[in-house]
Amino acid sequence: VNATGTDYAANLVFNGVNAVSGDTDLGDTGFIQIDGADVSFAATVNAAGVEVNASNVVFNDAVDLNGGNLTFSGGYDATLHNGLDGNIDLGGNNATVHIDAGTVTGDIDTSVANTGTLDFAAASGTTAEVLGTIGGTEALNEIQLNGPGTVRLDDTSVVL
């Protein structure tokens, strides 16, 4: 079989507790589905999208979704320790996104008014930043500012 020039998509599904120690690189065509609680990524994540279907998902390094989405199917939570290149879609759920540091380049949105929480928990000496719109389709339930670090929303539109 000659596969030269063929682009195959790879998908990863995580069930149960998982700790990924190396880089996760699925390129711009592969998706990650998280079905088990307590999944953590120690290094960079590169994929077309991530679907969160469980609680306590932690991204310790940069997440590059190639313009894709970090989506939530329920009231789950995820922590970003080093930003995200892409959008966050809370999907009308009471999901929570903790942004401890880094930049979210896209929009943070929900499809049902007053659902979802955005928690800026920037540690001392760090900056958490959003470049896109927050709540552009519907307003989020809550935006929290926690921690002694810097939160930057320079050109961000926040819909309340």
Side-chain angles (χ1 to χ4, degrees):
V1 175
N2 183 354
T4 303
T6 304
D7 188 15
Y8 293 100
N11 298 305
L12 289 175
V13 178
F14 291 93
N15 292 306
V17 176
N18 287 277
V20 180
S21 60
D23 290 343
T24 305
D25 188 5
L26 301 179
D28 59 0
T29 57
F31 289 87
I32 298 172
Q33 181 176 320
I34 301 171
D35 292 340
D38 301 318
V39 174
S40 65
F41 296 86
T44 59
V45 173
N46 182 5
V50 175
E51 181 179 335
V52 177
N53 302 320
S55 291
N56 198 29
V57 176
V58 178
F59 298 96
N60 288 300
D61 206 340
V63 179
D64 182 359
L65 299 182
N66 301 289
N69 295 324
L70 172 66
T71 60
F72 292 81
S73 66
Y76 306 117
D77 64 288
T79 302
L80 300 168
H81 288 297
N82 197 15
L84 179 135
D85 182 10
N87 303 298
I88 298 173
D89 181 3
L90 301 170
N93 299 295
N94 286 317
T96 301
V97 176
H98 307 278
I99 302 175
D100 290 352
T103 301
V104 174
T105 61
D107 299 332
I108 300 173
D109 210 354
T110 189
S111 57
V112 176
N114 301 313
T115 58
T117 299
L118 177 58
D119 173 39
F120 290 102
S124 181
T126 65
T127 299
E129 177 178 34
V130 175
L131 299 179
T133 299
I134 298 173
T137 303
E138 295 289 348
L140 303 184
N141 183 51
E142 190 171 11
I143 298 174
Q144 302 172 350
L145 304 175
N146 296 305
T150 302
V151 173
R152 180 175 285 145
L153 303 173
D154 291 343
D155 294 319
T156 300
S157 296
V158 179
V159 179
L160 304 173

